Amino acid sequence: MKNFERVDTRPGYDDFGKIIHLCTSGGYVMVKRARAMPFVMPIKDWAKVPKEPKA
């Protein structure tokens, strides 16, 4: 990730529900689900997470 690139901080959604963005550093994002422990994933994977819930 270049210094001028912005990370989409909108919540993501997957089969288990909403995923909230907490912070970004060194090419990774820290995210968490409701009532769960935070976890880390690469920015490239975060960019692929849908930003709208499935209907």
Side-chain angles (χ1 to χ4, degrees):
M1 179 173 132
K2 296 186 173 50
N3 291 336
F4 57 84
E5 288 183 305
R6 299 221 31 188
V7 175
D8 190 354
T9 59
R10 294 179 297 158
Y13 295 86
D14 65 2
D15 295 335
F16 301 107
K18 186 176 183 179
I19 305 172
I20 300 169
H21 176 273
L22 298 175
C23 63
T24 305
S25 181
Y28 293 90
V29 293
M30 180 178 282
V31 296
K32 77 179 221 66
R33 290 187 173 87
R35 299 173 303 280
M37 188 158 64
F39 59 97
V40 176
M41 63 191 311
I43 288 176
K44 290 180 182 181
D45 290 347
W46 175 246
K48 295 176 187 175
V49 174
K51 301 303 180 194
E52 299 293 328
K54 293 181 180 177

